[in-house]
Amino acid sequence: MILALAGGVGGARLANGLATILPPEELIIVVNTGDDFEHLGLHISPDIDTVTYTLAGLNNPKEGWGLAGESWAFMDALKRLGGESWFQLGDQDMATHVERTWRLKTLPLSAITTEFCARLGVRHRVAPMTDDPVRTLVETDEGQLAFQDYFVRRRCAPRLLGVSFAGLETARPGAALLSALADPELSAIVICPSNPLLSIRPILSLAGVTNLLSRRRVPVVAVSPFIGGKSVKGPAAKIMHELNLPVTPAGLLSFYDGLLDGMVIDRADADLADSLTGCAMLVTDTLMRNHADQDRLASETLDFTRQLSPRQDHKLM
Ligand code: FO1
């Protein structure tokens, strides 16, 4: 059984490749919820929706988030009324947010996610990292901003000074994450090519998670979201630069701080990995332009995990 940690479009793409190869009982995808926010009175869970829509084959392939073939009548009507229109909510996508918000009055996010997946034909398990509220906040040269305010409304223009996760200290890891970490059949943990700081750190920082993960003695493999010093999608590289985190295999290895047994990096970064020790490297094409790329990268990553034995001295983050 593989535990995949994911957030955002890159994470969803690799998760989709893993889901193509592995049967439903052999994969669980645990998703970041730090990007969640309340908007227009609705609870939005962007990363959960991106993963769910991608696995359902319903996602907008160009943007990566949202649904394919959307119409925008709601947004047009909202603009006419002078409403907040910086966050694009398609007409079909709105049904997800309205129905989720309504159900959250009586159900946890994990139960709603399971039900939506079933309704959309997703057979693999997709679970939020926690059912408790965690909200990513960014410190910038223009003050503190909520994550989507910074990311979408301000298009990451303010200079980033730091990131924090409100609610993380008291949030309990989700039941699916805990049961995956305790599952005797767990054979590897795959960190998808998601933003390490914004998507993966919140999952790993939940109480007890790195501790449990390290004790399992199963290989932990990260697929790099960087190619040739740039992020494949989104401003991950800009964000890392502004926080003095190098966008290189060495930078990623040090960011994950003793947790990794293996790293999958792009051919463009092969030279940079030559001198790295303490972590096995798989050098391949990591750009996922289509389904074939997703499946190939997932298959190569799984083969790689099978060749690795976990380090005996996983350091706690
Ligand atoms: N990202 C944008 O850059 N602009 C948007 O207007 C936008 C709307 C949106 C609506 C629903 C959804 O599930 C995701 C949406 N995203 C949008 C993506 C999302 O905010 C970010 O990509 C993630 O939070 C980062 O992983």
Side-chain angles (χ1 to χ4, degrees), residues 125-175:
R125 278 173 297 168
V126 177
M129 65 181 197
T130 176
D131 277 322
D132 298 324
V134 174
R135 297 291 176 267
T136 302
L137 299 172
V138 294
E139 298 299 331
T140 76
D141 57 355
E142 299 179 26
Q144 190 182 68
L145 295 172
F147 176 72
Q148 298 292 347
D149 242 11
Y150 162 77
F151 196 85
V152 175
R153 197 209 295 247
R154 301 298 319 278
R155 297 176 194 278
C156 304
R159 188 175 166 74
L160 201 62
L161 305 173
V163 176
S164 60
F165 306 99
L168 193 67
E169 276 176 22
T170 50
R172 293 152 299 175

Side-chain angles (χ1 to χ4, degrees), residues 8 35 46-47 49 65 86-89 93 97 147-148 151-152:
D35 293 13
D47 286 358
D49 290 343
W65 49 266
W86 54 272
F87 198 77
Q88 299 297 306
L89 295 169
D93 192 30
H97 311 309
F147 176 72
Q148 298 292 347
F151 196 85
V152 175

Side-chain angles (χ1 to χ4, degrees), residues 7-9 32 34-37 44-50 53 63-67 72 75 85-90 93 97 100 147-148 151-153 155 195 198-199 233:
V9 175
N32 170 45
D35 293 13
D36 289 20
F37 73 128
I44 319 268
S45 293
D47 286 358
I48 288 189
D49 290 343
T50 298
Y53 292 163
E63 301 294 351
W65 49 266
L67 287 156
W72 300 94
M75 287 308 293
S85 58
W86 54 272
F87 198 77
Q88 299 297 306
L89 295 169
D93 192 30
H97 311 309
R100 173 185 289 124
F147 176 72
Q148 298 292 347
F151 196 85
V152 175
R153 197 209 295 247
R155 297 176 194 278
N195 186 310
L198 297 168
S199 300
K233 191 166 191 311

